[in-house]
Tab-separated table of all heavy atoms in Angstrom:
chain	number	residue	atom	x	y	z
A	260	GLU	N	-34.568	-14.335	-27.776
A	260	GLU	CA	-33.868	-15.319	-28.606
A	260	GLU	C	-34.774	-15.872	-29.697
A	260	GLU	O	-34.357	-16.014	-30.860
A	260	GLU	CB	-33.352	-16.452	-27.722
A	260	GLU	CG	-32.504	-17.477	-28.474
A	260	GLU	CD	-31.957	-18.547	-27.558
A	260	GLU	OE1	-32.029	-18.386	-26.316
A	260	GLU	OE2	-31.459	-19.571	-28.086
A	261	ALA	N	-36.024	-16.169	-29.352
A	261	ALA	CA	-36.949	-16.714	-30.340
A	261	ALA	C	-37.250	-15.723	-31.453
A	261	ALA	O	-37.459	-16.096	-32.617
A	261	ALA	CB	-38.248	-17.132	-29.654
A	262	ASN	N	-37.250	-14.443	-31.117
A	262	ASN	CA	-37.637	-13.396	-32.067
A	262	ASN	C	-36.446	-12.793	-32.809
A	262	ASN	O	-36.611	-11.910	-33.650
A	262	ASN	CB	-38.392	-12.293	-31.307
A	262	ASN	CG	-39.013	-11.258	-32.216
A	262	ASN	OD1	-39.643	-11.586	-33.222
A	262	ASN	ND2	-38.835	-9.991	-31.866
A	263	ALA	N	-35.253	-13.280	-32.527
A	263	ALA	CA	-34.030	-12.635	-33.028
A	263	ALA	C	-34.027	-12.436	-34.535
A	263	ALA	O	-33.580	-11.399	-35.037
A	263	ALA	CB	-32.816	-13.437	-32.590
A	264	THR	N	-34.499	-13.409	-35.293
A	264	THR	CA	-34.466	-13.320	-36.758
A	264	THR	C	-35.826	-12.974	-37.369
A	264	THR	O	-35.956	-12.928	-38.586
A	264	THR	CB	-33.973	-14.649	-37.354
A	264	THR	OG1	-34.879	-15.699	-36.968
A	264	THR	CG2	-32.568	-14.978	-36.868
A	265	LEU	N	-36.840	-12.749	-36.512
A	265	LEU	CA	-38.198	-12.543	-37.022
A	265	LEU	C	-38.629	-11.086	-36.963
A	265	LEU	O	-39.429	-10.643	-37.787
A	265	LEU	CB	-39.190	-13.408	-36.231
A	265	LEU	CG	-38.925	-14.917	-36.296
A	265	LEU	CD1	-39.905	-15.660	-35.410
A	265	LEU	CD2	-39.035	-15.412	-37.729
A	266	GLY	N	-38.160	-10.348	-35.987
A	266	GLY	CA	-38.451	-8.919	-35.935
A	266	GLY	C	-39.847	-8.548	-35.518
A	266	GLY	O	-40.323	-7.452	-35.853
A	267	ALA	N	-40.543	-9.419	-34.792
A	267	ALA	CA	-41.872	-9.052	-34.307
A	267	ALA	C	-41.763	-7.918	-33.294
A	267	ALA	O	-40.765	-7.797	-32.579
A	267	ALA	CB	-42.558	-10.258	-33.677
A	268	TYR	N	-42.784	-7.098	-33.221
A	268	TYR	CA	-42.870	-6.030	-32.224
A	268	TYR	C	-43.549	-6.642	-31.012
A	268	TYR	O	-44.777	-6.810	-30.973
A	268	TYR	CB	-43.663	-4.857	-32.791
A	268	TYR	CG	-43.699	-3.633	-31.910
A	268	TYR	CD1	-42.902	-2.527	-32.202
A	268	TYR	CD2	-44.545	-3.565	-30.805
A	268	TYR	CE1	-42.938	-1.381	-31.406
A	268	TYR	CE2	-44.583	-2.435	-29.997
A	268	TYR	CZ	-43.781	-1.352	-30.311
A	268	TYR	OH	-43.814	-0.223	-29.518
A	269	LEU	N	-42.762	-7.002	-29.997
A	269	LEU	CA	-43.270	-7.722	-28.832
A	269	LEU	C	-43.643	-6.754	-27.718
A	269	LEU	O	-42.878	-5.861	-27.354
A	269	LEU	CB	-42.222	-8.705	-28.313
A	269	LEU	CG	-41.767	-9.800	-29.291
A	269	LEU	CD1	-40.706	-10.682	-28.640
A	269	LEU	CD2	-42.960	-10.647	-29.746
A	270	VAL	N	-44.848	-6.968	-27.166
A	270	VAL	CA	-45.316	-6.204	-26.011
A	270	VAL	C	-45.541	-7.213	-24.891
A	270	VAL	O	-46.564	-7.902	-24.856
A	270	VAL	CB	-46.607	-5.427	-26.318
A	270	VAL	CG1	-46.968	-4.512	-25.137
A	270	VAL	CG2	-46.468	-4.602	-27.599
A	271	LEU	N	-44.579	-7.333	-23.988
A	271	LEU	CA	-44.654	-8.324	-22.921
A	271	LEU	C	-45.400	-7.776	-21.709
A	271	LEU	O	-45.481	-6.565	-21.503
A	271	LEU	CB	-43.252	-8.750	-22.494
A	271	LEU	CG	-42.355	-9.413	-23.553
A	271	LEU	CD1	-41.103	-9.975	-22.896
A	271	LEU	CD2	-43.092	-10.503	-24.309
Side-chain angles (χ1 to χ4, degrees):
E260 185 177 348
N262 188 46
T264 61
L265 300 176
Y268 186 103
L269 300 179
V270 187
L271 299 190

